[in-house]
């Protein structure tokens, strides 16, 4: 078992899924990726999470992001559970769910925390960039459903930071002002960010979001 940290290269794997055998790197291609684990099939919180994720397909597509779920149950259970999700959540799950009965991927990604459960995966989520680097890790308790609006917000912030070399302040939402990183001088920032730079302190400077 290894511990995945921010900035690590996400390990590649081949696994059986609800949509057939899949190689992780081939599935992602040059896209961003979200890999998220679930304690078990036929659980109520996971049912709502997978349903809501499915409803965000258009939003993930806009961000060039592919989704991949994981549970330690088998393919047949996954496929039957997907029918339940589609029925109860009024959606159609089209992304694959890894069948990790042997816990190969779960152990590779440190999704099993013995103090929580010796066998079931925790509710973890990773954002992985096109270079296969891990950019976000969030782990929730089994009783608490994930906030996928927050996942979209972080995706926006990461992609904006990569393309425009900025940072985002607390509670940033798409369209808000962003932060000029300390490594950029105020003089250089005024050339880099033509919409203007507002200096609060020499180390705290804002500029309007560059891509809107």
């Amino acid at each position: 078992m290894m511990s995945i940290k921010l900035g690590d290269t996400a390990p590649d794997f081949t696994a059986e899924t609800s949509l057939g055998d899949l190689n992780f790197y081939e599935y992602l291609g040059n896209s961003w990726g979200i890999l998220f684990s679930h304690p078990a099939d036929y659980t109520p919180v996971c049912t709502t999470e997978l349903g809501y994720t499915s409803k965000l397909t258009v939003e993930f597509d806009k961000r060039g992001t592919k989704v991949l779920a994981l549970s330690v149950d088998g393919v047949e259970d996954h496929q039957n559970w997907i029918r339940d999700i589609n029925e109860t959540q009024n959606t159609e799950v089209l992304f694959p769910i890894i069948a990790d009965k042997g816990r190969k991927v779960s152990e590779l990604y440190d999704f099993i925390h013995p103090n929580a459960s010796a066998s079931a995966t925790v509710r973890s989520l990773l954002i992985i960039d096109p270079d296969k680097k891990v950019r976000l890790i969030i782990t929730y308790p089994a009783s608490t459903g994930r906030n996928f609006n927050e996942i979209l917000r972080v995706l926006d912030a990461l992609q904006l930071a990569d393309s425009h070399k900025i940072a985002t302040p607390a509670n940033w939402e798409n369209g808000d002002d962003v932060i000029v990183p300390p490594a950029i001088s105020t003089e250089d920032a005024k050339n880099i960010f033509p919409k203007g730079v507002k200096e609060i302190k020499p180390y705290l400077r804002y500029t309007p979001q560059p891509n809107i």
Side-chain angles (χ1 to χ4, degrees), residues 56 59-60 63 148-157:
L56 292 175
E59 296 300 324
F60 287 123
R63 294 161 174 83
F148 283 87
N149 294 323
E150 167 66 2
I151 303 309
L152 290 177
R153 190 189 76 89
V154 175
L155 264 175
D156 286 340

Side-chain angles (χ1 to χ4, degrees), residues 63-190:
R63 294 161 174 83
T65 301
K66 294 183 177 179
V67 175
L68 182 61
L70 175 147
S71 172
V72 294
D73 293 312
V75 168
E76 185 176 355
D77 280 332
H78 284 0
Q79 292 170 341
N80 290 331
W81 184 32
I82 286 170
R83 284 192 280 271
D84 283 356
I85 296 167
N86 293 343
E87 175 191 348
T88 62
Q89 307 303 305
N90 191 29
T91 189
E92 185 177 4
V93 174
L94 299 177
F95 55 83
I97 305 175
I98 296 168
D100 196 32
K101 293 184 73 173
R103 291 152 177 80
K104 172 186 171 184
V105 180
S106 299
E107 292 182 359
L108 187 63
Y109 275 83
D110 196 22
F111 285 161
I112 295 177
H113 294 186
N115 289 337
S117 170
S119 59
T121 49
V122 294
R123 202 183 304 280
S124 284
L125 181 146
L126 280 68
I127 292 180
I128 298 163
D129 70 18
D131 293 327
K132 309 300 182 292
K133 299 297 183 182
V134 176
R135 302 294 295 276
L136 175 78
I137 304 171
I138 303 179
T139 299
Y140 289 75
S143 60
T144 304
R146 283 169 272 221
N147 185 336
F148 283 87
N149 294 323
E150 167 66 2
I151 303 309
L152 290 177
R153 190 189 76 89
V154 175
L155 264 175
D156 286 340
L158 288 171
Q159 293 179 355
L160 187 64
D162 283 3
S163 59
H164 292 281
K165 307 307 177 187
I166 53 81
T168 51
N171 297 325
W172 175 85
E173 297 285 349
N174 194 27
D176 292 347
D177 287 354
V178 297
I179 288 175
V180 178
I184 300 175
S185 70
T186 299
E187 183 178 352
D188 288 342
K190 290 176 180 177

